[in-house]
Amino acid sequence: MSAVIAPDKAPSRANVMPDTPGWARWANDHRKWLFAAPAMAFVAALIIFPLGWTIYLSLTDSSGSVRAESEFIGFRNYIDVLTDTDRFWPAVGRTAAFTGVALLFEVVLGMAIALLLWRPFKGEKWVRVAILLPLVATPVAVGMMWRLIFDPNIGLANQALGWIGIGPQPWLAGQHTALPTTIFIDIWQWTPMVVLILLAGLTSLSEEPQEAAMIDGASPWQRFRHVTLPLLMPTVIVAVLLRGIDALKTFDILYATKGRGGGSFNEVETLNVYAYGLSFDYNEYGLSSTVLILFFLIIIGSMWALTSRRKKEARR
Amino acid sequence: MKSRTGFKAFRAVALVLVVLSLVAPLLWMVAASFKTNVDIYDSSKALIFSPTLDNYGTVLQQANYVQFIFNSLWVAFAATALSLLLGVPAAYAMSRFNMKKSALVVLMARVIPGVSLLVPWYYVFSNMRLVGGFSVLILSHMFVSLPLIVYIMMGFFDGLPDELEEAAQVDGLTPIGAFRRITLPLSVPGIATAGILSFIFSWNNFMFALVLSGADTKTLPVAIFDFVGYASIDWGGLMAATTVVTLPIMVIALFVQKYIVSGLTAGATKG
């Protein structure tokens, strides 16, 4: 039986790279991991060990100095934190309020502005520039800028209120007005982000469903509600996801406007600010690690909830 | 027809309001940077005042800002360059070989709150006597840049057909050679997008530099706080400082708008 010579389906490696040295051939064969591994190793090294260490610290009474002796105390920190109605739960509430309210306004306003920008018009370029400016501005600088504008004595905000006959407000200085004011700043800076994402989604929609609805005599609102919005829903969820993660982690604006500790009444103390203060102002590493682990679980949980909704939407 | 002109008028008014509310605060900040502290406190001089450059003098001389500008530039530039070096090949491999789980490892860095890593980083890096030096600042900023770059570049490579590479391989190039000589040159717009955004995010980063920088390696967002005292604030100097931080980025944004928008919306429409 003579050997069957298989037709060359692909040029063999020897044909393609006759002069390639061995190491280069090895590199080509293993390029998948050669390319991906360094970046993965870098991120993993900066995450995995710290995260493991944070979990360990959360089970100890470490405080004062990270080098100091600390004792393993099991889940006592978790019990302490979860029963702490003075600082922890209010911080959870503020984080939820900040994220929820900011997201709500950013998505509604962002959708409205994106719809305004959807069809071409004169001066489009200038509007796009204006939308980009808050997005690229340094958040700490933005916080400082609004701190001047909202200054109770000299700020533009109270001057403007004076022009229309309304008395001065404490804004960032007030115990009950500080959080809403910081939410306002977040909305100012990040609504443009939602606009850009939704606008990208709108421009990628096909025109046929719109035209069909128009021929059927649907009103603009009906077209938005029953045609545009459902088609845009995946993009809306992406925007909510991206903005939501960052809103949960807000730090710069709060630190810039209120300084350390979230104000004298902790009026803007979110989980992020609380954990930062515990770690770097009070050096309560055990407790802060516990807060961080819980914070981390909250973020993962909310992301999971949103992405599973996204998958459901995609399946529909 | 009537309703359409009505809509156009409504849209014009609405858009003017949007633009004003976004731009006016920034103009107010720049205006305050040219006022004396006395004028800032005087509400009658809100719009009409005699401009002064004193605040910029304070910022550039007394507060040693030139050094901080250099620090910010160096950290943002180094973090971006190194992240591109690691991130572009990684994104390429993850896109071509559909390595979704590996990509997730890198993108985790986007999700984890920075504070949760800072205590261990601070501990390890201060034991290695690196805190206060540039290397640790650059590393921490890379932690922000790298996931961003991988995310943007994965989307870019996904949209790049691999026929050209295959053709190049048939013509005798090795797979890595095809990547280097064909794919990379074609990726310049994507790399520009990723690089610009990485630079901006690194330039704007605050929390990592707040903890990990020293007196000599302070970046601009941290240096801004030099103008906030315990009892009082030098508003003129502060607004000059914030203008110095934000203006370069805004000028860049004006010129490379297209890239920034495509980077910020990367992957958003794929659902």
Side-chain angles (χ1 to χ4, degrees), chain A residues 17 28 138 188 249 272 310, chain B residues 21 110 115 174 176 204 271:
Chain A
M17 307 180 276
N28 273 303
T138 311
W188 180 85
K249 298 193 295 181
N272 216 6
R310 184 177 162 190
Chain B
S21 55
R110 260 304 261 114
V115 222
T174 62
I176 291 181
N204 287 348

Side-chain angles (χ1 to χ4, degrees), chain B residues 7 28 44 56 63 67 74 98 120 132-133 157 182 189 191 193 198 214 217 220 222 226 234 243 246 249 253 265:
Chain B
F7 170 72
W28 184 255
S44 69
Y56 288 92
Q67 171 74 41
W74 169 230
N98 204 16
F157 289 129
I182 308 290
I191 294 174
T193 300
S198 154
T217 57
L220 285 175
V222 181
D226 291 353
D234 172 10
T243 306
T246 44
I249 290 281
T265 56

Side-chain angles (χ1 to χ4, degrees), chain A residues 146 149-169 171, chain B residues 28 43 46:
Chain A
W146 284 106
I149 293 174
F150 282 127
D151 188 278
N153 302 312
I154 59 170
L156 178 65
N158 276 343
Q159 287 175 31
L161 286 184
W163 297 333
I164 54 172
I166 299 175
Q169 303 296 319
W171 303 115
Chain B
W28 184 255
S43 66

Side-chain angles (χ1 to χ4, degrees), chain B residues 80 84 88 149 152-153 156 184 186-200 252 256 258-260 262-263:
Chain B
T80 299
L84 283 174
V88 172
I149 285 170
I152 294 172
M153 290 312 291
F156 189 85
L184 266 190
L186 285 175
S187 315
V188 169
I191 294 174
T193 300
I196 291 162
L197 270 192
S198 154
F199 187 90
I200 293 177
I252 294 175
V256 295
K258 196 181 71 187
Y259 292 108
I260 296 179
S262 69

Side-chain angles (χ1 to χ4, degrees), chain A residues 94-110 179-192 194 239-240 243-244 246-250 253-254:
Chain A
R94 282 184 214 103
T95 309
F98 188 97
T99 308
V101 176
L103 260 182
L104 181 72
F105 275 91
E106 282 161 20
V107 170
V108 172
L109 279 173
L179 192 65
T181 309
T182 53
I183 293 175
F184 170 86
I185 300 172
D186 195 80
I187 295 170
W188 180 85
Q189 182 157 35
W190 296 110
T191 299
V194 181
V240 169
R243 253 330 282 149
D246 283 344
L248 279 170
K249 298 193 295 181
T250 300
I253 287 172
L254 302 175

Side-chain angles (χ1 to χ4, degrees), chain A residues 17 28 31 35 46 49 53-54 67 116 119-121 129 136 138 140 154 188 196 200-201 246 249 272 276 310, chain B residues 11 21-22 41 89-90 110 115-116 120-121 123-124 127 174-176 204 206 210 245 249 254 257 265 269 271:
Chain A
M17 307 180 276
N28 273 303
R31 65 188 190 282
F35 278 11
L46 285 178
F49 162 73
W53 209 50
T54 306
R67 265 162 269 213
L116 284 174
R119 303 299 181 195
F121 60 94
V129 168
V136 295
T138 311
V140 178
I154 59 170
W188 180 85
L196 286 187
D246 283 344
K249 298 193 295 181
N272 216 6
Y276 180 90
R310 184 177 162 190
Chain B
R11 175 161 80 171
S21 55
L22 294 179
Y41 275 83
R110 260 304 261 114
V115 222
S116 60
W121 286 0
Y123 174 71
V124 172
N127 267 349
T174 62
I176 291 181
N204 287 348
F206 171 62
L210 180 66
V245 182
I249 290 281
L254 290 185
Q257 243 199 89
T265 56
T269 53

Side-chain angles (χ1 to χ4, degrees), chain B residues 149-187:
Chain B
I149 285 170
V150 169
Y151 183 67
I152 294 172
M153 290 312 291
M154 271 180 73
F156 189 85
F157 289 129
D158 282 346
L160 214 59
D162 43 10
E163 276 90 30
L164 283 169
E165 265 172 52
E166 279 162 15
Q169 285 184 44
V170 171
D171 287 347
L173 279 178
T174 62
I176 291 181
F179 166 70
R180 207 164 51 86
R181 310 242 306 252
I182 308 290
T183 312
L184 266 190
L186 285 175
S187 315

